[in-house]
Amino acid sequence: QVERGCEVPRAKAMQALFRDRAFWAHGVMCAEAQSGHGTVYAYRNDIVFPLLKLAGLGAMHGSDLGTALNTATGALNMASIGTPKKRKAILHGYVHGAWVNFARTGNPNGTIPVKWEPYEPKTRKTMIFNDNCTVEMNPRAEALELWKGIELYK
């Protein structure tokens, strides 16, 4: 995440721009569009596993798949190598539990420590998956303003 007014190396700024363009901005626009047709729950994965941190990375697209699918082995678990078993079990319980609850009932609540309310364009309530799990209203609102009016697809 690039903070406003901070000097950032050009490469890091370009990575942030690409990340937002390729994943985040589209996700927000899809959630907003879909919320007019049904119940939407939006989340952001902020879980940083030791191996990712060691590689100079943070939470990233796809790094939540092992926790979401509750895999203990294989390629989807690679990101969590070096994570203490207790922490991994808690995170898997939060994320995997929410996915299972959503698949079963259409509501992800039940295994996470806070109430996850549906996404609405006005409030943009978003679950932030991390060690504590929180719900943020309108996360990165200032950055989203930069993307408004930019046609991402034709």
Side-chain angles (χ1 to χ4, degrees), residues 74-134:
L76 293 178
N77 192 46
M78 294 283 295
S80 66
I81 290 174
T83 303
K85 286 183 181 181
K86 183 177 180 181
R87 179 178 184 234
K88 194 185 295 189
I90 290 169
L91 295 172
H92 281 232
Y94 291 161
V95 182
H96 178 68
W99 278 42
V100 168
N101 287 341
F102 182 78
R104 285 183 179 154
T105 68
N107 184 326
N109 288 289
T111 61
I112 43 182
V114 296
K115 185 172 189 220
W116 185 354
E117 294 183 37
Y119 180 95
E120 296 175 3
K122 215 176 215 183
T123 59
R124 294 187 52 237
K125 288 181 183 175
T126 303
M127 170 61 68
I128 309 300
F129 279 116
N130 54 30
D131 289 295
N132 301 312
C133 293
T134 58

Side-chain angles (χ1 to χ4, degrees), residues 47-60 63 74-84 87-88 91:
I47 299 169
V48 181
F49 292 112
L51 185 62
L52 293 174
K53 193 172 187 176
L54 185 64
L57 302 169
M60 59 187 184
S63 66
L76 293 178
N77 192 46
M78 294 283 295
S80 66
I81 290 174
T83 303
R87 179 178 184 234
K88 194 185 295 189
L91 295 172

Side-chain angles (χ1 to χ4, degrees), residues 1-2 11-21 140 147:
Q1 184 171 343
V2 178
K12 189 170 184 167
M14 292 305 291
Q15 288 171 347
L17 181 67
F18 172 76
R19 178 203 61 228
D20 284 358
R21 164 69 169 82
R140 301 188 64 219
W147 288 101

